[in-house]
Amino acid sequence: METTSEENQEQSQEKKGCFECCIKCLGGVPYASLVATILCFSGVALFCGCGHVALTGTISILENHFSKITSDHAMLTDVIQLMQYVIYGIASFFFLYGIILLAEGFYTTSAVKELHSEFKTTICGRCISGMFVFLTYILGIAWLGVFGFSAVPVFLFYNMWSTCAAMRSPVANFTNVDSICVDVRQYGIIPWNATPGRACGSTLGDICNTSEFYLSYHLYIVACAGAGATVIALIHFLMILSANWAYLKDASHMHAYQDIKMKEEQELHDITSRSKECLNSYT
């Protein structure tokens, strides 16, 4: 019976130790950085993936319905291909940058959790945190521009879709449907001498009914939403990094204060010891 009770106590102690270890590990996880990283990855993935496919569909729509001559849209094709390559670079960069920011969050969380221990933050660590704050701020401003730019194709496709919806509406009363047109040349996408450059009436309705138009329109919407999510993630990262930098700075000041206090206590102890020695030798 005694052996059984001792074994039960040992098992309960082991379970308690494992539980405390798990709690300690979970306490060191930077949940804010983790949420921001997931949001950033999701936003960039949506923007890059949907944007890449939507650009391909846009080229197909222009070639089949608005610009029959290849030379008229050759420059636009080159620009779209360049944008697709840029999308590859953006995806790779933010995958790496998100992992680095998450690792920095783990580092800062460890520094704050061990504020009163032997862990010390270095000047290099604080400089790196400050550099991440500046870089994330620049990226946030850049992605605000990307978000605004991604809304442009959504606006263009929405104009076409709303025009087609107005023509199909039973309430609408048009004397001449063929007079209703969408001219993409006015947006600067293709030159003014492009043939035909615009779509009218039933031709426009047929374009809106194609799977390419439907898919590209909704993919542009999702890509714009992904860009917005990335902006929110970068703002979240910026707040986290600013707080982490402040925590590291406070930790550095705290350690400096503790070092000075320990030195003063050691000096006071040495003076007291010498005074006692002198008093004993005099006596």
Side-chain angles (χ1 to χ4, degrees):
M1 296 292 293
E2 293 179 357
T3 305
T4 305
S5 62
E6 290 178 356
E7 291 178 355
N8 292 333
Q9 290 179 358
E10 290 178 357
Q11 292 178 357
S12 62
Q13 289 178 357
E14 290 179 358
K15 292 180 180 179
K16 184 178 179 181
C18 293
F19 180 75
E20 292 177 353
C21 182
C22 292
I23 293 298
K24 184 177 180 181
C25 292
L26 292 175
V29 176
Y31 293 102
S33 296
L34 187 61
V35 171
T37 302
I38 294 173
L39 182 61
C40 182
F41 283 172
S42 302
V44 172
L46 289 175
F47 174 79
C48 294
C50 297
H52 185 276
V53 179
L55 288 173
T56 304
T58 302
I59 285 292
S60 179
I61 293 172
L62 288 174
E63 290 178 348
N64 295 329
H65 304 286
F66 293 99
S67 182
K68 302 293 185 179
I69 303 175
T70 306
S71 59
D72 291 340
H73 59 268
M75 182 178 294
L76 178 63
T77 303
D78 294 337
V79 171
I80 289 180
Q81 290 178 351
L82 178 62
M83 292 174 63
Q84 289 177 333
Y85 285 118
V86 170
I87 284 175
Y88 297 145
I90 290 174
S92 302
F93 172 78
F94 272 90
F95 177 76
L96 179 62
Y97 189 67
I99 292 176
I100 292 174
L101 290 183
L102 183 61
E104 198 273 343
F106 274 101
Y107 163 76
T108 308
T109 303
S110 300
V112 174
K113 292 293 183 181
E114 301 180 13
L115 180 62
H116 299 288
S117 65
E118 296 180 356
F119 185 93
K120 292 186 179 181
T121 59
T122 61
I123 297 177
C124 181
R126 296 195 299 275
C127 290
I128 291 175
S129 298
M131 181 192 68
F132 282 140
V133 172
F134 175 76
L135 183 58
T136 305
Y137 177 78
I138 298 299
L139 290 174
I141 294 177
W143 268 96
L144 281 175
V146 173
F147 175 67
F149 179 77
S150 63
V152 174
V154 176
F155 172 75
L156 300 182
F157 274 78
Y158 174 76
N159 283 342
M160 292 182 62
W161 176 82
S162 60
T163 304
C164 294
M167 289 191 301
R168 292 193 299 265
S169 176
V171 182
N173 184 15
F174 298 111
T175 56
N176 187 8
V177 179
D178 292 333
S179 63
I180 301 174
C181 303
V182 171
D183 193 343
V184 298
R185 294 174 297 184
Q186 63 182 338
Y187 301 112
I189 299 175
I190 54 178
W192 280 103
N193 57 357
T195 305
R198 65 177 185 171
C200 303
S202 59
T203 303
L204 177 61
D206 293 337
I207 295 174
C208 294
N209 291 329
T210 59
S211 59
E212 293 174 348
F213 176 85
Y214 184 82
L215 180 62
S216 298
Y217 176 41
H218 288 83
L219 286 178
Y220 275 124
I221 294 175
V222 176
C224 184
T230 306
V231 172
I232 296 174
L234 289 174
I235 294 174
H236 195 178
F237 266 130
L238 184 61
M239 292 188 294
I240 295 168
L241 292 170
S242 300
N244 290 346
W245 184 82
Y247 290 153
L248 291 177
K249 185 177 179 181
D250 292 340
S252 176
H253 291 168
M254 180 63 70
H255 283 299
Y257 169 76
Q258 289 178 352
D259 291 340
I260 294 173
K261 184 178 179 181
M262 289 178 61
K263 290 179 181 179
E264 290 179 349
E265 290 178 352
Q266 185 64 34
E267 291 178 356
L268 181 61
H269 178 72
D270 294 339
I271 293 172
T272 305
S273 299
R274 287 196 297 266
S275 300
K276 289 182 179 179
E277 290 177 359
C278 292
L279 182 60
N280 291 333
S281 61
Y282 178 78
T283 303

